[in-house]
Amino acid sequence: DAGVTQSPTHLIKTRGQQVTLRCSPISGHKSVSWYQQVLGQGPQFIFQYYEKEERGRGNFPDRFSARQFPNYSSELNVNALLLGDSALYLCASSVGRGKGGANVLTFGAGSRLTVL
Amino acid sequence: DQQVKQNSPSLSVQEGRISILNCDYTNSMFDYFLWYKKYPAEGPTFLISISSIKDKNEDGRFTVFLNKSAKHLSLHIVPSQPGDSAVYFCAASGWETSGSRLTFGEGTQLTVNP
């Protein structure tokens, strides 16, 4: 079974540019969440989408946006990139929104974004 | 405002001995706690979890203890193996949020020496 897949794995952008990161959840998983992990810190929640609707948003500026498609895949967009946006962006999927059991998050390997 | 804190950035133990990783939290609304481990170039992998209605959960070599009055949890690995060397993250979820919204600690790098 394919796990959570993310693309691209690595990318380099310059300040002010825009970036789109993609995520394909595990088959049958309807919830996708995005996290940002800055070097030396734990992952920080950005968004959750469930059944194609935004169900939660972390403390990130409006430059960050996301969407979920009918096939439950998702995109994370970041506009007007800043140096501080350099991080590992993790996507996670789960069957539903609850806690425990099948709803434990399964993470992808991440997209490493470097902003110069 | 760090609501989940892992005060030890690193821990080194000998193979076969016990590894104890600690985590403290400040938010009384947290009702579900998880441990994830992360190898380089991979995403975090779920290890074990515990609900706030319990004080212990065990899965093979891994046991998580929760002390709600102290707002403290710990992960015990017995016996430790070299393959356990990884970064371990403690994470928490509040009763008012979905299981997808996790607050993570900074992580502890565990090294198990042969």
Side-chain angles (χ1 to χ4, degrees):
Chain A
D1 279 349
V4 177
T5 57
Q6 293 186 242
S7 63
T9 54
H10 296 83
L11 69 165
I12 299 174
K13 294 285 187 178
T14 57
R15 281 179 296 174
Q17 284 189 313
Q18 175 264 342
V19 67
T20 297
L21 308 177
R22 296 174 178 83
C23 172
S24 293
I26 290 173
S27 177
H29 284 196
K30 297 182 178 181
S31 176
V32 169
S33 302
W34 287 94
Y35 285 78
Q36 179 196 64
Q37 186 182 8
V38 174
L39 195 63
Q41 297 182 19
Q44 187 173 358
F45 174 78
I46 310 175
F47 284 112
Q48 185 208 358
Y49 277 77
Y50 178 73
E51 287 284 17
K52 292 154 281 184
E53 292 188 11
E54 181 182 309
R55 304 289 185 155
R57 183 185 184 112
N59 188 23
F60 280 82
D62 291 343
R63 299 185 296 107
F64 288 76
S65 63
R67 56 180 174 168
Q68 186 177 33
F69 298 99
N71 66 354
Y72 301 109
S73 67
S74 178
E75 285 183 352
L76 175 70
N77 295 284
V78 187
N79 293 322
L81 286 167
L82 303 174
L83 296 179
D85 295 331
S86 295
L88 179 68
Y89 289 85
L90 295 161
C91 175
S93 74
S94 61
V95 172
R97 300 179 62 208
K99 299 172 187 176
N103 290 327
V104 166
L105 297 184
T106 301
F107 285 86
S111 294
R112 171 76 61 188
L113 171 64
T114 301
V115 182
L116 300 177
Chain B
D1 178 22
Q2 190 69 24
Q3 298 186 63
V4 177
K5 197 155 183 60
Q6 297 175 252
N7 289 312
S8 299
S10 63
L11 174 68
S12 183
V13 299
Q14 286 299 120
E15 181 178 5
R17 306 295 291 268
I18 184 172
S19 295
I20 300 176
L21 295 97
N22 294 303
C23 177
D24 297 296
Y25 63 96
T26 58
N27 191 337
S28 300
M29 306 288 260
F30 288 147
D31 67 344
Y32 192 65
F33 303 88
L34 308 90
W35 286 92
Y36 280 82
K37 72 176 182 181
K38 187 178 185 301
Y39 295 116
E42 295 182 13
T45 303
F46 170 73
L47 202 54
I48 192 169
S49 63
I50 188 167
S51 165
S52 61
I53 63 173
K54 296 185 176 181
D55 55 17
K56 177 182 174 181
N57 189 26
E58 192 171 355
D59 184 1
R61 297 186 295 115
F62 303 92
T63 303
V64 57
F65 295 92
L66 175 62
N67 182 334
K68 288 191 294 291
S69 60
K71 294 189 174 68
H72 177 84
L73 64 156
S74 61
L75 174 68
H76 292 209
I77 307 174
V78 182
S80 300
Q81 300 173 354
D84 295 330
S85 297
V87 177
Y88 287 77
F89 291 101
C90 169
S93 182
W95 68 266
E96 81 285 9
T97 62
S98 74
S100 296
R101 184 167 187 155
L102 298 178
T103 301
F104 283 85
E106 308 95 321
T108 297
Q109 171 70 59
L110 173 66
T111 302
V112 180
N113 301 301

